[in-house]
Amino acid sequence: MATNSKSGNSIESARRTLAARLQSAGIEEAALDARLLVGAALNLDLTGMIAQAARRLTVEEAARLEQYAQRRLAHEPVARILGMREFWGLPFRLSEATLVPRPDTETVVELALEIFRELPTSGRRPLIADIGVGSGAILLALLHEIPEAFGVGTDVSLTALGTARDNAAALGLSDRSGFIACYYAAALSGPFDLIVSNPPYIASADIANLSAEVRDHDPHLALDGGHDGFDAYRALIPQAAERLAPGGALIVEAGQGQAQGIETLLTAAALIVDRSPRADLSGMPRAVSARKMPA
Ligand code: SAM
Ligand code: GLN
Protein backbone atom coordinates (compact mmCIF):
# COMPACT_ATOMS: atom_id res chain seq x y z
CA MET A 1 0.00 0.00 0.00
CA ALA A 2 1.45 3.37 -1.06
CA THR A 3 1.77 5.75 1.85
CA ASN A 4 3.55 9.06 2.45
CA SER A 5 7.33 9.36 2.48
CA LYS A 6 8.33 8.54 6.07
CA SER A 7 11.58 8.89 7.92
CA GLY A 8 12.78 5.47 8.99
CA ASN A 9 12.03 4.04 5.54
CA SER A 10 15.03 2.87 3.58
CA ILE A 11 16.05 4.82 0.50
CA GLU A 12 15.07 1.86 -1.66
CA SER A 13 11.65 1.53 -0.09
CA ALA A 14 11.05 5.31 -0.29
CA ARG A 15 11.84 5.17 -4.01
CA ARG A 16 9.52 2.23 -4.63
CA THR A 17 6.72 3.76 -2.57
CA LEU A 18 6.95 7.05 -4.44
CA ALA A 19 7.02 5.27 -7.83
CA ALA A 20 3.84 3.40 -6.87
CA ARG A 21 2.11 6.62 -5.73
CA LEU A 22 3.02 8.42 -8.94
CA GLN A 23 1.96 5.46 -11.05
CA SER A 24 -1.44 5.17 -9.38
CA ALA A 25 -1.93 8.92 -9.98
CA GLY A 26 -1.51 8.19 -13.70
CA ILE A 27 1.88 9.88 -14.04
CA GLU A 28 3.89 8.53 -16.95
CA GLU A 29 7.52 7.69 -16.26
CA ALA A 30 6.64 7.20 -12.58
CA ALA A 31 9.73 5.06 -11.89
CA LEU A 32 12.14 7.54 -13.46
CA ASP A 33 10.49 10.52 -11.75
CA ALA A 34 10.65 8.76 -8.38
CA ARG A 35 14.35 8.06 -8.81
CA LEU A 36 15.09 11.68 -9.76
CA LEU A 37 13.05 13.11 -6.88
CA VAL A 38 14.59 10.79 -4.27
CA GLY A 39 18.03 11.66 -5.64
CA ALA A 40 17.26 15.40 -5.41
CA ALA A 41 15.68 15.22 -1.93
CA LEU A 42 18.68 13.29 -0.59
CA ASN A 43 21.29 15.00 -2.76
CA LEU A 44 22.51 11.67 -4.11
CA ASP A 45 23.35 10.60 -7.63
CA LEU A 46 22.31 7.18 -8.93
CA THR A 47 25.51 5.50 -7.69
CA GLY A 48 25.04 7.03 -4.22
CA MET A 49 21.42 5.92 -4.13
CA ILE A 50 22.37 2.35 -5.00
CA ALA A 51 25.29 2.31 -2.54
CA GLN A 52 23.07 3.62 0.27
CA ALA A 53 19.88 1.74 -0.70
CA ALA A 54 19.41 0.30 2.80
CA ARG A 55 20.09 3.55 4.69
CA ARG A 56 17.09 5.09 6.49
CA LEU A 57 15.82 8.55 5.53
CA THR A 58 16.30 11.30 8.11
CA VAL A 59 13.26 13.31 9.19
CA GLU A 60 14.43 16.27 7.06
CA GLU A 61 14.97 14.10 4.00
CA ALA A 62 11.56 12.48 4.36
CA ALA A 63 9.90 15.91 4.71
CA ARG A 64 11.70 17.25 1.64
CA LEU A 65 10.82 14.17 -0.39
CA GLU A 66 7.18 14.43 0.64
CA GLN A 67 7.12 18.06 -0.51
CA TYR A 68 8.54 17.04 -3.89
CA ALA A 69 6.05 14.16 -4.09
CA GLN A 70 3.11 16.51 -3.50
CA ARG A 71 4.34 18.88 -6.21
CA ARG A 72 4.75 16.05 -8.73
CA LEU A 73 1.33 14.63 -7.80
CA ALA A 74 -0.05 18.12 -8.61
CA HIS A 75 1.51 17.67 -12.10
CA GLU A 76 4.48 19.96 -11.70
CA PRO A 77 7.21 18.54 -13.97
CA VAL A 78 10.28 17.05 -12.31
CA ALA A 79 12.49 19.54 -14.18
CA ARG A 80 10.61 22.44 -12.51
CA ILE A 81 10.92 20.85 -9.06
CA LEU A 82 14.64 20.32 -9.59
CA GLY A 83 15.06 23.71 -11.34
CA MET A 84 17.21 22.04 -13.97
CA ARG A 85 17.07 19.80 -17.00
CA GLU A 86 19.69 17.97 -18.97
CA PHE A 87 19.79 18.68 -22.71
CA TRP A 88 22.43 17.33 -25.11
CA GLY A 89 24.13 15.86 -22.04
CA LEU A 90 24.62 19.35 -20.55
CA PRO A 91 22.94 20.80 -17.44
CA PHE A 92 20.55 23.75 -17.93
CA ARG A 93 19.09 25.77 -15.08
CA LEU A 94 15.49 26.82 -15.59
CA SER A 95 13.42 29.80 -14.51
CA GLU A 96 9.70 30.48 -14.68
CA ALA A 97 10.30 32.29 -18.01
CA THR A 98 12.05 29.38 -19.73
CA LEU A 99 10.53 26.39 -21.48
CA VAL A 100 11.78 23.03 -20.20
CA PRO A 101 14.06 21.94 -23.07
CA ARG A 102 12.62 18.86 -24.80
CA PRO A 103 14.49 15.75 -25.98
CA ASP A 104 12.81 16.24 -29.42
CA THR A 105 14.69 19.53 -29.77
CA GLU A 106 17.97 17.60 -29.85
CA THR A 107 16.91 16.74 -33.43
CA VAL A 108 17.39 20.44 -34.30
CA VAL A 109 20.90 20.36 -32.80
CA GLU A 110 21.76 17.15 -34.70
CA LEU A 111 20.63 18.54 -38.04
CA ALA A 112 22.30 21.92 -37.44
CA LEU A 113 25.62 20.19 -36.68
CA GLU A 114 25.36 18.00 -39.75
CA ILE A 115 24.66 21.02 -41.97
CA PHE A 116 27.38 23.09 -40.28
CA ARG A 117 29.97 20.42 -41.10
CA GLU A 118 28.99 20.64 -44.79
CA LEU A 119 29.37 24.43 -45.00
CA PRO A 120 32.37 25.65 -47.00
CA THR A 121 34.97 27.20 -44.69
CA SER A 122 34.69 30.97 -44.87
CA GLY A 123 38.02 31.91 -43.29
CA ARG A 124 36.20 33.89 -40.57
CA ARG A 125 34.80 32.85 -37.22
CA PRO A 126 31.52 30.92 -37.66
CA LEU A 127 28.53 32.92 -36.38
CA ILE A 128 25.35 31.29 -35.05
CA ALA A 129 22.03 32.85 -34.00
CA ASP A 130 19.27 31.21 -31.93
CA ILE A 131 15.97 33.05 -32.16
CA GLY A 132 13.87 32.58 -29.02
CA VAL A 133 16.78 31.21 -27.02
CA GLY A 134 14.90 30.41 -23.77
CA SER A 135 17.25 28.55 -21.40
CA GLY A 136 19.92 28.59 -24.12
CA ALA A 137 19.55 24.88 -24.81
CA ILE A 138 20.06 24.83 -28.60
CA LEU A 139 22.61 27.65 -28.85
CA LEU A 140 24.80 26.44 -25.99
CA ALA A 141 24.71 22.82 -27.21
CA LEU A 142 25.93 24.06 -30.62
CA LEU A 143 28.65 26.25 -29.10
CA HIS A 144 29.74 23.31 -26.96
CA GLU A 145 30.14 21.22 -30.14
CA ILE A 146 31.69 23.93 -32.34
CA PRO A 147 34.54 25.43 -30.28
CA GLU A 148 35.47 28.00 -32.94
CA ALA A 149 31.96 29.51 -33.19
CA PHE A 150 30.42 32.60 -31.61
CA GLY A 151 26.68 32.59 -30.92
CA VAL A 152 23.93 35.13 -30.27
CA GLY A 153 20.59 34.33 -28.64
CA THR A 154 17.50 36.53 -28.74
CA ASP A 155 14.34 36.53 -26.67
CA VAL A 156 11.58 38.94 -25.69
CA SER A 157 11.77 37.73 -22.09
CA LEU A 158 14.52 39.45 -20.08
CA THR A 159 14.21 36.76 -17.41
CA ALA A 160 14.80 34.03 -19.99
CA LEU A 161 17.81 35.93 -21.36
CA GLY A 162 19.24 36.15 -17.82
CA THR A 163 18.80 32.40 -17.39
CA ALA A 164 20.45 31.70 -20.75
CA ARG A 165 23.35 33.98 -19.82
CA ASP A 166 23.77 32.16 -16.47
CA ASN A 167 23.74 28.82 -18.28
CA ALA A 168 26.38 30.08 -20.73
CA ALA A 169 28.57 31.07 -17.76
CA ALA A 170 28.07 27.72 -16.01
CA LEU A 171 29.08 25.91 -19.22
CA GLY A 172 32.18 28.08 -19.73
CA LEU A 173 30.70 29.64 -22.88
CA SER A 174 30.33 33.31 -21.79
CA ASP A 175 33.15 34.58 -23.97
CA ARG A 176 31.65 33.00 -27.08
CA SER A 177 28.02 34.07 -26.62
CA GLY A 178 25.82 37.15 -26.42
CA PHE A 179 22.15 37.57 -25.46
CA ILE A 180 19.92 40.27 -26.87
CA ALA A 181 16.34 41.34 -26.16
CA CYS A 182 14.48 41.86 -29.44
CA TYR A 183 11.56 40.76 -31.58
CA TYR A 184 12.83 37.53 -33.15
CA ALA A 185 15.97 38.54 -35.14
CA ALA A 186 15.13 42.25 -35.50
CA ALA A 187 18.20 43.58 -33.66
CA LEU A 188 20.68 41.20 -35.30
CA SER A 189 22.75 42.02 -38.34
CA GLY A 190 24.87 38.94 -39.14
CA PRO A 191 25.65 37.54 -41.62
CA PHE A 192 25.15 34.22 -39.84
CA ASP A 193 26.38 30.83 -40.99
CA LEU A 194 23.63 29.10 -39.03
CA ILE A 195 20.36 30.40 -37.63
CA VAL A 196 18.35 28.05 -35.44
CA SER A 197 14.98 28.48 -33.78
CA ASN A 198 12.46 26.55 -31.75
CA PRO A 199 9.77 29.21 -31.78
CA PRO A 200 6.35 29.15 -30.10
CA TYR A 201 4.21 27.01 -32.43
CA ILE A 202 1.14 25.73 -30.59
CA ALA A 203 -2.13 27.09 -32.02
CA SER A 204 -3.63 29.36 -29.33
CA ALA A 205 -6.84 27.32 -29.06
CA ASP A 206 -4.87 24.08 -28.49
CA ILE A 207 -3.05 25.33 -25.40
CA ALA A 208 -6.00 24.50 -23.13
CA ASN A 209 -5.74 20.84 -24.24
CA LEU A 210 -2.03 20.39 -23.45
CA SER A 211 -0.98 18.26 -20.48
CA ALA A 212 -1.12 20.07 -17.13
CA GLU A 213 2.69 19.74 -16.97
CA VAL A 214 3.03 21.94 -20.08
CA ARG A 215 -0.09 24.14 -19.87
CA ASP A 216 0.32 25.10 -16.23
CA HIS A 217 4.13 25.27 -16.00
CA ASP A 218 5.71 26.26 -19.33
CA PRO A 219 5.48 30.00 -20.11
CA HIS A 220 2.73 30.65 -22.67
CA LEU A 221 5.01 33.15 -24.41
CA ALA A 222 7.16 30.12 -25.29
CA LEU A 223 4.21 28.07 -26.60
CA ASP A 224 1.62 30.33 -28.22
CA GLY A 225 2.02 30.45 -32.01
CA GLY A 226 -1.18 32.39 -32.70
CA HIS A 227 -4.43 31.25 -34.33
CA ASP A 228 -2.84 28.60 -36.60
CA GLY A 229 0.46 28.15 -34.76
CA PHE A 230 2.45 29.80 -37.58
CA ASP A 231 2.74 33.43 -36.35
CA ALA A 232 6.37 33.05 -35.25
CA TYR A 233 7.45 31.27 -38.46
CA ARG A 234 5.81 33.98 -40.58
CA ALA A 235 7.69 36.67 -38.64
CA LEU A 236 11.09 35.08 -38.22
CA ILE A 237 11.70 33.27 -41.52
CA PRO A 238 11.94 36.44 -43.68
CA GLN A 239 14.07 38.10 -40.95
CA ALA A 240 16.41 35.12 -40.83
CA ALA A 241 16.65 34.86 -44.63
CA GLU A 242 17.95 38.45 -44.77
CA ARG A 243 20.56 37.75 -42.10
CA LEU A 244 22.07 34.51 -43.43
CA ALA A 245 25.46 34.49 -45.13
CA PRO A 246 25.42 33.18 -48.71
CA GLY A 247 25.24 29.37 -48.40
CA GLY A 248 24.22 29.66 -44.73
CA ALA A 249 21.36 27.62 -43.28
CA LEU A 250 18.23 28.14 -41.19
CA ILE A 251 17.06 25.19 -39.09
CA VAL A 252 13.73 25.41 -37.25
CA GLU A 253 11.80 23.05 -35.04
CA ALA A 254 8.35 22.05 -36.33
CA GLY A 255 5.27 21.10 -34.35
CA GLN A 256 2.89 18.29 -35.32
CA GLY A 257 1.87 18.57 -38.99
CA GLN A 258 3.74 21.85 -39.57
CA ALA A 259 6.78 20.79 -41.64
CA GLN A 260 5.16 21.34 -45.03
CA GLY A 261 3.73 24.74 -44.14
CA ILE A 262 7.16 25.80 -42.88
CA GLU A 263 8.81 24.68 -46.12
CA THR A 264 6.34 26.85 -48.05
CA LEU A 265 7.34 29.87 -45.95
CA LEU A 266 11.06 29.09 -46.41
CA THR A 267 10.67 28.92 -50.18
CA ALA A 268 8.62 32.15 -50.20
CA ALA A 269 11.56 33.83 -48.43
CA ALA A 270 13.83 32.75 -51.35
CA LEU A 271 15.57 30.04 -49.30
CA ILE A 272 16.34 26.66 -50.86
CA VAL A 273 14.79 23.62 -49.21
CA ASP A 274 17.41 21.06 -50.19
CA ARG A 275 16.73 18.20 -47.80
CA SER A 276 13.82 16.43 -46.13
CA PRO A 277 12.88 17.33 -42.58
CA ARG A 278 14.72 15.35 -39.90
CA ALA A 279 12.41 13.10 -37.86
CA ASP A 280 12.51 12.90 -34.08
CA LEU A 281 12.61 9.61 -32.14
CA SER A 282 8.86 9.15 -32.59
CA GLY A 283 9.24 9.48 -36.38
CA MET A 284 7.65 12.94 -36.60
CA PRO A 285 9.27 15.47 -38.98
CA ARG A 286 10.79 17.74 -36.33
CA ALA A 287 13.64 19.80 -37.78
CA VAL A 288 13.18 21.67 -41.07
CA SER A 289 16.07 23.35 -42.85
CA ALA A 290 16.81 25.58 -45.83
CA ARG A 291 19.88 27.26 -47.36
CA LYS A 292 20.51 30.72 -48.65
CA MET A 293 21.77 30.69 -52.24
CA PRO A 294 25.60 30.46 -52.23
CA ALA A 295 27.47 33.51 -53.58
N1 SAM B 1 15.15 27.66 -27.56
C1 SAM B 1 14.58 27.18 -26.31
C2 SAM B 1 14.39 25.68 -26.39
O1 SAM B 1 14.37 25.14 -27.50
O2 SAM B 1 14.22 25.03 -25.34
C3 SAM B 1 13.25 27.88 -26.00
C4 SAM B 1 12.20 27.68 -27.05
S1 SAM B 1 10.59 28.26 -26.58
C5 SAM B 1 9.58 27.14 -27.49
C6 SAM B 1 10.38 29.77 -27.54
C7 SAM B 1 11.11 31.00 -27.00
O3 SAM B 1 10.82 32.12 -27.86
C8 SAM B 1 10.72 31.42 -25.61
O4 SAM B 1 11.87 31.58 -24.81
C9 SAM B 1 10.00 32.77 -25.80
O5 SAM B 1 10.17 33.67 -24.73
C10 SAM B 1 10.65 33.27 -27.08
N2 SAM B 1 9.85 34.23 -27.85
C11 SAM B 1 8.50 34.31 -27.96
N3 SAM B 1 8.16 35.33 -28.76
C12 SAM B 1 9.32 35.91 -29.19
C13 SAM B 1 9.62 37.02 -30.04
N4 SAM B 1 8.66 37.73 -30.63
N5 SAM B 1 10.93 37.32 -30.25
C14 SAM B 1 11.92 36.60 -29.66
N6 SAM B 1 11.68 35.55 -28.83
C15 SAM B 1 10.40 35.21 -28.61
N1 GLN C 1 7.39 21.11 -28.03
C1 GLN C 1 6.59 21.87 -27.09
C2 GLN C 1 5.34 21.07 -26.74
O1 GLN C 1 4.76 20.44 -27.61
C3 GLN C 1 6.14 23.18 -27.67
C4 GLN C 1 7.27 24.14 -27.79
C5 GLN C 1 7.02 25.15 -28.85
O2 GLN C 1 5.94 25.73 -29.02
N2 GLN C 1 8.04 25.39 -29.56
O3 GLN C 1 4.96 21.08 -25.60
Side-chain angles (χ1 to χ4, degrees), residues 99-100 102 104-105 197-203 210-211 214-215 218 220-225 229 233 253-256 258 286:
L99 186 92
V100 176
R102 309 289 207 264
D104 290 336
T105 301
S197 184
N198 171 19
Y201 56 60
I202 309 287
L210 297 173
S211 69
V214 177
R215 183 191 61 226
D218 277 319
H220 285 199
L221 189 58
L223 299 173
D224 193 340
Y233 299 116
E253 176 162 328
Q256 182 83 43
Q258 290 178 319
R286 181 62 77 180

Side-chain angles (χ1 to χ4, degrees), residues 16 23 27-28 99 104-105 117 133 165 177 180 186 260:
R16 280 173 197 261
Q23 175 136 35
I27 288 174
E28 285 175 34
L99 186 92
D104 290 336
T105 301
R117 288 177 183 133
V133 71
R165 198 175 283 120
S177 56
I180 297 173
Q260 223 184 352

